[in-house]
Amino acid sequence: MMFSKKLQATMNEIQKVGAMFYKTEITDDIVLYGLYRSNQHEPIGKLMYNSSMSIFMLRRTLDNEYDMDEKDYGKQEIKNLPFTEQTECLFKDAESYAVLTGSDEIDLPHILLAILNSENHVVREYLEDEVDKNKLQKDLIELIYAKTVGYLNDNKNSKNEVKIEKALP
């Protein structure tokens, strides 16, 4: 399954974030930060903010995790970093969400839904301490179905009515 254009652009930012934190592999926490950082003013970023997620608190969490007090940001060369096995599973989970919701491509909300179930200790602790996960999950499901149903409605008629009729289990 293909990535949406928005997710492809976000993947470039995720690589930059990986280099910024001197990583040798991309982990789920780096994916979360890259996703939020590159989409703060997009609908997905607004959902994250409305669920009490803070880009500043997430950054501070990562700074502490990777002991960034001793390092200079941006001094590492940006290269194509591989994903950890755990992060590969995250993308497979996102693909499952895309299939389940009738999407023909993996998009940002699918990745974020998968992140909500991440086993990465940094992500898990951050989400438990800072974020209203239930609200975020509900809002993500509504966003996904609004896009899916909206797309179907646009193809059936010219009205732009969007009805959310289902939700993920």
Side-chain angles (χ1 to χ4, degrees):
M1 184 172 279
M2 300 282 294
F3 285 172
S4 69
K5 289 181 182 179
K6 204 56 136 160
L7 182 53
Q8 289 174 24
T10 299
M11 295 303 284
N12 291 332
E13 184 65 24
I14 289 168
Q15 289 293 325
K16 290 177 188 175
V17 169
M20 181 177 79
F21 283 102
Y22 293 85
K23 300 290 284 179
T24 57
E25 295 178 301
I26 300 295
T27 54
D28 294 4
D29 51 346
I30 297 299
V31 172
L32 177 60
Y33 185 70
L35 188 150
Y36 199 176
R37 180 176 151 161
S38 65
N39 295 285
Q40 289 181 67
H41 305 291
E42 300 294 326
I44 192 81
K46 291 175 183 176
L47 286 182
M48 294 167 87
Y49 178 81
N50 288 338
S51 68
S52 303
M53 193 176 287
S54 164
I55 190 84
F56 303 108
M57 291 301 293
L58 181 55
R59 171 66 181 263
R60 188 167 67 173
T61 300
L62 293 175
D63 284 347
N64 290 337
E65 178 67 21
Y66 300 118
D67 198 24
M68 295 306 291
D69 291 337
E70 306 289 322
K71 300 175 183 169
D72 291 330
Y73 286 106
K75 300 295 182 184
Q76 181 151 332
E77 178 182 330
I78 298 171
K79 49 190 166 196
N80 197 15
L81 299 172
F83 297 108
T84 63
E85 188 175 318
Q86 187 178 40
T87 303
E88 289 287 346
C89 289
L90 177 114
F91 286 108
K92 287 179 183 164
D93 289 348
E95 182 176 13
S96 296
Y97 286 125
V99 169
L100 185 62
T101 58
S103 298
D104 56 351
E105 59 187 11
I106 302 169
D107 203 359
L108 300 173
H110 303 122
I111 297 292
L112 191 51
L113 271 175
I115 286 173
L116 292 178
N117 297 313
S118 174
E119 291 299 315
N120 178 286
H121 76 279
V122 177
V123 171
R124 195 174 56 240
E125 289 173 18
Y126 174 76
L127 292 176
E128 287 173 3
D129 292 346
E130 301 291 333
V131 178
D132 183 347
K133 284 176 59 173
N134 291 332
K135 178 176 178 17
L136 182 56
Q137 185 173 26
K138 178 184 171 286
D139 290 347
L140 285 168
I141 292 167
E142 287 179 2
L143 178 64
I144 290 168
Y145 278 109
K147 284 183 174 184
T148 304
V149 174
Y151 171 76
L152 294 174
N153 284 346
D154 287 346
N155 285 338
K156 289 181 182 177
N157 58 44
S158 62
K159 293 182 181 178
N160 286 329
E161 296 178 16
V162 176
K163 295 179 182 176
I164 300 169
E165 298 173 359
K166 327 185 232 183
L168 289 173

